Amino acid sequence: MGYLYVAIAAALWGLLGPVTRLVLQEGVGAVEVAFWRGLLAAGIFGVHAVAIGRVRIERRDLPSVVAFGVFGVAGLLACYSRAVEAGGAALASILLYTAPVWVALLSALFLGERLTRRTVLALAVATLGVAGIAFASGGGAVRLTPAALGWGLASAFAYALYYLFGKRYFDRYPTATLFIYALPVGALAMLPLVDFRPKTQTAWAAIAFVAVVPTYLAYVFYSAGLRRVDATRAATVATVEPVVATFAAYLMWDERLSPAGYAFAAVVLVGVLMMVGGGTRPAHDEPPHG
């Protein structure tokens, strides 16, 4: 079930880029989209936390949650929106999924996860697919520029922090409890960079969708999966997101990849399937997660 939860979260995240582009087209800036996404989702998580009676976290965990809000939440939300603005929704999502490389390396360093040969091979295959798609744009609204590449890779590093933070704290606290602190901190970190503009009803509707579906619901499924699957495997299974995002962007915005690009999307899925059958070994011969 852990793999299924992560896959559902990834599919929901795949809708983020195409819908974010709709908000951008309505004249809202990329950082403002990220700001409202974080702030509105924080309110939803707040209702959730109150409903389950889990609002407080221990004082000793506050510095880590605040740091995660600044570097993980604000970093991902702002960089990803800028990547969509610079290169299109499909490319932004694809570049985001260089994150499993960072997750694998950082998990080995900080979580004691030992990589198996099968996991390394699966990671290499999935990364090859992501890299291939990134350089196989076939027209439409896909724009591979230095800015798009830079913001996309920056969002990938921030995204990797979600897995490391999650493995340490999702066993201690419900998802809602953590995000009612991390999301507002992230929104406040972005506030000095926001250029607020008038918004149409369409823009507000799209922002609300982004806050509910690919943020609140996706994080709920993602955290449920991360409790059952180790960080590297979860990150690689979630590489189905750029496949969903690529096809959603094509349907909504005619963002097209070349035939080779779609072939590399299939390579990503092969890597995901290999990862499900592989895994990592925690250090000190602990039982594997999940």
Side-chain angles (χ1 to χ4, degrees):
M1 290 301 296
Y3 296 117
L4 177 61
Y5 292 147
V6 173
I8 291 173
L12 297 179
W13 278 327
L15 302 176
L16 175 60
V19 178
T20 295
R21 187 178 166 189
L22 174 60
V23 187
L24 297 174
Q25 183 173 277
E26 291 293 309
V28 182
V31 180
E32 185 180 357
V33 176
F35 170 82
W36 286 114
R37 178 191 175 196
L39 194 63
L40 294 178
I44 301 171
F45 277 116
V47 173
H48 185 161
V50 170
I52 63 176
R54 295 291 301 276
V55 175
R56 299 182 61 182
I57 63 173
E58 295 182 22
R59 183 175 300 178
R60 63 186 174 89
D61 292 327
L62 277 174
S64 295
V65 174
V66 170
F68 171 65
V70 173
F71 297 104
V73 172
L76 175 59
L77 269 59
C79 291
Y80 186 77
S81 291
R82 292 298 298 270
V84 172
E85 185 178 52
L91 184 62
S93 182
I94 290 162
L95 291 175
L96 179 67
Y97 275 86
T98 57
V101 177
W102 293 108
V103 172
L105 296 176
L106 295 175
S107 294
L109 290 173
F110 298 108
L111 298 181
E113 294 183 2
R114 298 173 182 172
L115 301 179
T116 66
R117 292 181 181 179
R118 186 184 184 96
T119 298
V120 172
L121 179 59
L123 183 62
V125 170
T127 303
L128 173 64
V130 170
I133 296 172
F135 293 97
S137 58
V142 174
R143 305 179 301 280
L144 183 58
T145 64
L149 185 62
W151 287 117
L153 294 176
S155 68
F157 181 80
Y159 180 44
L161 300 179
Y162 275 64
Y163 287 87
L164 302 181
F165 179 83
K167 291 307 293 184
R168 185 173 296 274
Y169 290 101
F170 282 159
D171 286 336
R172 299 187 195 176
Y173 303 102
T175 307
T177 305
L178 293 171
F179 279 107
I180 60 173
Y181 294 92
L183 284 170
V185 167
L188 287 174
M190 290 183 282
L191 185 58
L193 305 176
V194 178
D195 178 19
F196 290 101
R197 302 174 185 175
K199 284 167 281 296
T200 64
Q201 290 184 349
T202 299
W204 278 120
I207 289 172
F209 178 90
V210 164
V212 175
V213 178
T215 306
Y216 170 72
L217 292 178
Y219 286 160
V220 168
F221 280 108
Y222 148 80
S223 59
L226 199 56
R227 290 189 182 97
R228 295 165 173 82
V229 180
D230 65 51
T232 302
R233 296 173 78 176
T236 307
V237 170
T239 52
V240 298
E241 178 189 337
V243 180
V244 174
T246 297
F247 285 101
Y250 170 75
L251 293 174
M252 292 180 64
W253 300 106
D254 194 32
E255 293 185 11
R256 303 186 304 276
L257 300 177
S258 66
Y262 291 112
F264 279 115
V267 172
V268 172
L269 291 178
V270 171
V272 170
L273 294 175
M274 291 175 62
M275 181 62 71
V276 172
T280 59
R281 294 191 303 272
H284 311 303
D285 297 322
E286 296 174 3
H289 296 285

